[in-house]
Amino acid sequence: MRLSVIGCGYLGAVHAASMAELGHDVVGVDVDAHKVELLSNGQPPFFEPELENLLARNVEAGRLTFTQDFSAIEGAQVHFIGVGTPQSESGAADMTYVDAAVTSMLPHLGHCTSDPEVVVGKSTVPVGTASRLAQTVEPTGALLVWNPEFLREGFAVQDTLHPDRMVYGLPDDPGAASKAQEAMDAAYEQILISGTPRLLMDYATAELVKISANAFLATKISFINAMAQVCDAAGANITALAQAIGMDDRIGRRFLRAGIGFGGGCLPKDIRAFRARADELGVGDALTFLAEVDKVNDTMRAGVIRTARELLGDHLTGATVTVLGAAFKPDSDDMRNSPALDLAVELARLAKRIVVHDPAAGPILAERSNRPYEVALSAHSALEGTDLVLIGTEWREYRDLDPAHVADLARTRCVIDGRNCLDAQAWKAAGWNYRGIGRR
Ligand code: NAD
């Protein structure tokens, strides 16, 4: 099939490359000239495992092209929209990019010879967006489907090619819904053949599935982080607690690791946008708990600063602090709303010198001007002469550090394990003053 993908960021670039990998003929459209140039050369504009090979292979095979020119979407049967929906000043989702993308697409719809032509929203949007956009899209003869994306950065290629489930938000008209569904099934044929469950629903429910899933995940993280604060105060151990409660199938073990909180380009903005939309719908009270979820998340960063003060006391002002990790999660270079990077900036106000290392995001940070921290090329060089180490992102390379070797590099042996990913006993045995989150 001929497909187009509008918006080639973390979601769109992976989606375009994955659809080409399934054998489709795909054109990706983005307004960012630099991104289009890189992608056209088969180079990912960001770090994501497996993406480089996938892009290179499919660009080379001629199945995958990128352009800034919207006319290139003419003749494609399915058009996926993956542009950004960042947080606006009010907290609501900024829909400017989605609306602009649809406006740019409109003159180029209606040229497809296969029936039906389908516009597929993948961006995370406020409930009600799809029915609004359907009114703009349908006069061209195309149908609209909302097909939210659940990929996790760091596993984006695998999650796109082997998703847990596929959600189609379909038009109300049964005839239109069944035609749209057929086109979607054809585009995703190989994914569905492998047994991926496909759930059919209305637009509003599909939009809500995505945003409520993110609200649940954020709540789960803040729940365990709140428990970590109680553990700290009570002298209990959050890791043992999480393991024990997680063995209950109703609770589940995943997403129960206490740490310095969630970040990235999705959870923080999505819970705020959800609250803003619920307010508009007159059910704001139902989601006030999400304000608490946000607050607990912020508290975790404040807790790290308090621990740094406790560990170094007055020496903090003259100290060198090493922050290991800048991305919001490992196997990604995404630093949007990153707790690790926020803490590096905050600590720079309190300490003499901050050295940051991140295996993927480091080179991007090094290019930034006016930053209040140094960027080290290796974890070991970042640790030389340090007084305090903060693990901000649980990259494998940090989990595998030899605490005895690192002890020789440090001036003062203090470590805050912001992701509870180190072997606390081994670090203590190597002479470190170790502090985890809820692990006193
Ligand atoms: P991103 O910022 O990485 O990518 C958005 C891309 O859209 C950019 O390349 C931008 O240049 C492009 N763009 C903006 N306006 C455009 C226009 N008018 N026409 C064409 N291109 C345009 O964002 P992202 O992380 O890929 O997220 C995109 C959407 O997907 C968001 O709604 C997000 O919430 C959702 N989402 C993201 C993830 C994720 O892990 N990143 C997962 C699921 C859902």
Side-chain angles (χ1 to χ4, degrees), residues 91-109:
D94 179 352
M95 295 303 290
T96 324
Y97 305 96
V98 171
D99 290 342
V102 172
T103 304
S104 305
M105 291 167 77
L106 284 178
H108 307 292
L109 298 177

Side-chain angles (χ1 to χ4, degrees), residues 9-11 30 35 82-83 85 124 149 151 153 266 269 336:
Y10 286 92
L11 185 163
D30 201 290
K35 225 173 239 186
V83 300
T85 47
T124 305
E149 179 56 60
L151 69 81
E153 286 176 25
C266 292
K269 65 132 173 116
R336 291 178 287 185

